[in-house]
Every structure is written in C-alpha cells, then in structure tokens.
Amino acid sequence: MTRLELRSLTKSYGSRRVLDDVSFTVDGGEILGFVGANGAGKTTTMRIVLGVLVPDGGEVLRDGHPLDAAQRRSIGYMPEERGLYPKMKVGEQLDYLARLHGLDAAAARAATREWTERLGVAERLGDEVQKLSLGNQQRVQLAAALVHSPEILVLDEPFSGLDPVAVDVMSSVLRERAAAGVPVVFSSHQLDLVERLCDRVGIIRAGSMVALDTVEALRSGGAPRWRVVAPQAPAGWAAAVPGAHVVSEGPDATVVEVTHDGVEQQVLAAALATGPVHELARVRPSLTDLFRDAVAGTPHTQEAQA
Amino acid sequence: MSPARTVRLVAAREISTRARSKAFVWTTAVVLVLIVAGSALIGFLGGKEPEPLHVLVTDDITATALERAATATGTLVETDVLGPLAGAPNLSDDDVLVGLAPDGTVHVTVNTEVPSDLGPTLTVMAQQQALGAAITSLGGDPAAVDAAVLSAQPAVTTLEEPTKGPDLGASILGQVVGILIFVAIMTTGQMVAQGVVEEKSSRVVEILLATIRPAELIAGKVLGIGALGLAQVAAYVAVGAGSANAFGLLDGVDVDLWSAAGSTLVWFLLGYAIYALLFAAAGALVSRQEDVASVTTPILMMLMIPYAVGISVAPWDPTNTLVTVLSYVPFFTPLIMPMRSALGVAAPWEIVLMIVVCAALVALLVWVAGRIYGRAVLLTGARVPLREVLRAR
C-alpha cells in the first residue's frame, strides 16, 4: 500500500517563515483532513508535495523514498486556485490532462467518459469549460484530479463551492478511493465534513502542526469538561470548587473544566447546594471547538497533541 | 513518460486549439485572399502583357511578313488567316485586313482608319517588301540580307562601372520579405505571450506544472505555435510566389524568388525562436491579459526599430551603412538580413555567420527565458518584478 510522508518541511518567503517543521504521514486507505486558518500553510504544504514549490528544507517521501517526477505525476491534485483552460472543451481538456499524466489516447478517452459520467457532467463533454456553471466547473476540476487513476490524492479545498449533491458525490469518491488503498489528504474549512470523512485530522497554525490525531482522540483529549444544568444556581456558584474552572456560564447551563476525574463530583455537590440539578453531562469538544482553540493557541489542543 | 512525448502533447494542443480558432482561420484566409487579389490587381494594372493587336491576313506568306515586321517594331500582333477573298470583305468596326500582292505591295483594308499603333508595323512591312524586291532585282538573296541586318549590333564600350541602383523587382521583393517576417514574428510572438498569460490567469498552469516541468510546457508551447506560424508563413510565401508567377509579375524581373522564399522561412524560424522566448518570459511576469502590453511593449519596440529602419531605407539604398550594421545585431538580424538577401547585397559569409550567431543566441535565450519563466509563472500578483525573478535562488 502506498504511503505518503512529509518530513520536516520548512519554507520561508524572505524573512517570513510560512512552514516550520511540518511533518505527517498518510497511509494507503487513510483520509487525512488538513485544517487551519487562512494563511496557516495548508496550500504551501500541498504545493510542496506536488513539486510546484520547492521547500527550503525537509522532504516528501513515498514508501520511504523521495518522490521523483514520475511518481509526482501519479498524484491527483486539485489546487486551491481552480484552473482549467476556459476556452477548451470539457472532454478535450480531460483527455489532454490524462495524456499528460501518461495515459494513452484510448485509456484517456475511456477515463474521461467514466469520470464525467460519475460526476454528472457527461452531457457537457462538448462544451467549453467557461460555459459551465461554477458548480459544474468544480466537478470538471475534480474529474481532472481523478482522470488518471491517481495513486495519491492531494485536494486543496475540494468541497468549497459545491452544492450538497456534489458534496455527497465528492465524499463518496474520496471514501471509495481510500478504500482502494489510495492515501487521501484534503484541506477544508467545513469541519463537519472533515469530522465525518476523515480518519485523522491535522491542524496547522502559523506554519506548524499543532495537532495530529484521530477525531476521536482529539475530542477526548485535553481536560474533561462537564455541563451542569442547575436553574437556581447564582452566578459564580462553581468558582469556589478547587480544581474546577468555569469555561462558560449562562442561564441555561454552566460548562466547567476539571483538572482530573472526580472533581466533577464536587462540582455536582456545589450545584446541589444551590437547588435542584437537572443535568450533569460530559462535554466533548466538537472539531470546531478544537479548531478554534488551536487557531487561538489555547492549551486545550496543544495538550491533546502530546 | 519521456520529455519528448510531453513536449509533443503540449505542442499538439497548441496547434489543434489555435488552428481551429475562428480568429486564426479568418486571418489566414483573409491574408491569402489579399495576396492573390493584390497580385491579380498589380498584374492587371501593370499591364505587363499588353493585348496583342488582332489583324486579319489573306494568306500565310502575308502572316509571316507581318509578324517579322511586328518583331522589328516591337509590336505584339496576332494574325488570323482568312484565305483568298472574292469581292469586298465584310469588316466590322476595328478589323484590319492585310494582303500581300505578288509584286510586294502591301494592301491594307480598314473600315475607317488604320489603328495608330499598327501604322509603324505596316510601314516597316511595306519597306521590307520593297527592300526585298530591290535586292531580288539586284540578284541578291533577301533572306540573307535580312539575317545580316537583324544580327547587326552596335559595339558599346563602357568607360565607367555603372552605378547599380536597386532593381525595382528586387526592391519590391525586399519590402515584401521585410513586411512578411515582421508581421509573422510579431503575431506569433504575441500568441506565445498571450498563451502564457492565459494559462497563468486561468490558473491552469498549476495543475500543468504539478504534472510536467516548466521547460516542457514552454518548449511545447513555443514549438507548437512556431509550427503553426511556420505553416502560415509557408502558405503566404507559396501562394504569394505562385500568384506572382501566375499573374506575370515576375516577367522580365531579375529576382530569385525561390531562394528569397527559402531565406524568408529560415529567418522567420530564427527570429521567431528569439522573440517567442522573450515573449514567453515576459508573459510569465504578469497574471492578467490586461497587463500583457506593459511587458511586451519593450519587445515590440525591439522588433519595430530594425523593421522601420530596414523597410524605409534598405529598398532604396541597400548598401546603407546603418542597415548593414543593424543586420549584424543578433536581435535585429532576422528582420534585416532577409531584406538584404532579397536585395542581393548580403554576402554568403554574412548570412552563414549570422545564422550561427542567431542560433547561439537562441540557445542562450532558452536558458535565460526558461529560468525566468520557470520562476515567475507560478507567482501571482499584478506583475512580478524582473529583478526579483533574476535574483531568486
């Protein structure tokens, strides 16, 4: 099975360091979600994988060996900045790209047919790309990334601009390629999708990886949080409990972070002292919370990384 | 996949998409029609072949005598033998009937008057007949005397070398070659610049360069557009030479059309290679079609200067020093040297030397322009400063 590995990538533009020791591995059959704020270094990382940018340090390996030009050709790539020849017909364009990736004419034509049918743009084969709607152009762009049966997939924001139907098609294609043993990396700001699709998630902030683990591990990592619903509790009721730290307090519920298991019982006791308690439940941070924390640089996820 | 196959694929795309574009097809068709129409017009107006005068004659002897007289006066005459006539001939308005009597008298019958341009010929014919009759009566052979008279030539001694002004035909050919090469290099070169910017502005360059090397992409583009441009120029040259021939523009003009055509193609190829690489590097510096002009203007100026000097001076003064010097400047050579060749003032050693120099310049530009292109093509922004690209590691 193919394995893609990024080892200690660094990149600077002038004095501005945009990547600092970025490393991660994607195994065949695995989908890695790559998230981070705008400008955090996702696109730079992907461009380095594709050889479009040269890193200042570090390397990209496939099965333990540095990627060569022929192997780069076997990567399916969807750049963040979408790009196709606007005045070229959909079919000719995909044929051409498939042939540039090394397919012969017949195989290129067959692959073009197959992918345009799967992605629902087969009836537009003879139309110029610029005449297609933006959504359909996106589908053609995805077809362009898939048309040469890539052995590795690197997709920068593949879901942006897609309608819900296309999102489903795209999701199923990614799952299917992964199931066929292809390592898949994609970046996205749609964290619910990342959470649903990915086996693992890497979070990058200001050029450094701040988290890299399964969604499950990321969510259960960090200090446990509890949600307490005690309607008659006055404000600040939990502040006196040792080892507890109020994350948020509102009329409906209070969220308390505890230093270790067992403290929540003292929190409960404090809550009961104010009146009835309707609920005490463990809160797992959503990926969105983790992302927000990671981007903000709070310790929550940095501990999770350890 | 071999680089050669990649380059071929890229070139094939350039050719097939451009050759089918309406702009290209129409431009080529219009120029070809203009070339044929222009040749026809010049041939027609120039009147290189005046209409022969049509003369009716009574028999073959008359026809021979009339034609000999016509040759002597330099008149073009076409005879039509009617045969012996009984009674007054039925002549239409401008018909002329000529008959030679056994005694050597020339009888001319016309409706109203003898056409003025036929008069001298008829006079000469009558004089020749009279002379013939006189020679015969003196016991001589009129045919031998005729031959002696016709072969008599004055002996001319030239005291000074004639100052050789440019031949009109060569001068026109020089201008045509100059214009053709300039227009061809300019249009194909700008096609390269626009093609580079199109890929950059549509961002397709990123997926292309994730697949193939910048050198392969630019080589395929330059070769593809170059092949198309060469085919276009070859078509213009072939149709131009063919129609010049067909409409008689070359009759009596001392020019070697085919060697001019060959030199045009060679210099187009070298000039195209030089300027296409410059245009490619320049195109890579900008990201929008609107900005193309800002980077291609200096290159267009480089094309304009030798063209303007060449076209305005060379055809009238082929050995002009400025023209000669500019033809040794490698970037200008492809525009001026073919003009000098067509004018017949370029020595073979000059041509060979400058072909070698220009080929070396192309090799150097492949390297320099390739580096500029490779570094700038993925950088976005209004315009990448050239200094930054050259300084980059």
Side-chain angles (χ1 to χ4, degrees), chain B residues 207-231:
Chain B
I207 32 176
L208 296 177
L209 292 188
T211 313
I212 64 178
R213 278 188 281 271
E216 293 167 334
L217 180 57
I218 198 61
K221 182 174 286 295
V222 167
L223 290 178
I225 294 176
L228 204 62
L230 184 66

Side-chain angles (χ1 to χ4, degrees), chain B residues 197 200-201 203 283 285-289 291 379-383:
Chain B
V197 178
K200 208 176 160 180
S201 66
R203 317 271 189 213
L285 298 176
V286 296
S287 309
R288 299 179 308 165
Q289 293 288 357
D291 297 330
L379 301 176
T380 49
R383 179 170 168 185

Side-chain angles (χ1 to χ4, degrees), chain A residues 47 52 73 77 83 85 100, chain B residues 1 20 199 202 206 211 378:
Chain A
R47 290 177 105 189
V52 171
R73 209 162 269 205
Y77 177 44
Y85 286 108
L100 279 187
Chain B
M1 198 161 85
R20 281 179 300 170
E199 281 170 1
S202 68
E206 183 147 353
T211 313
L378 283 169

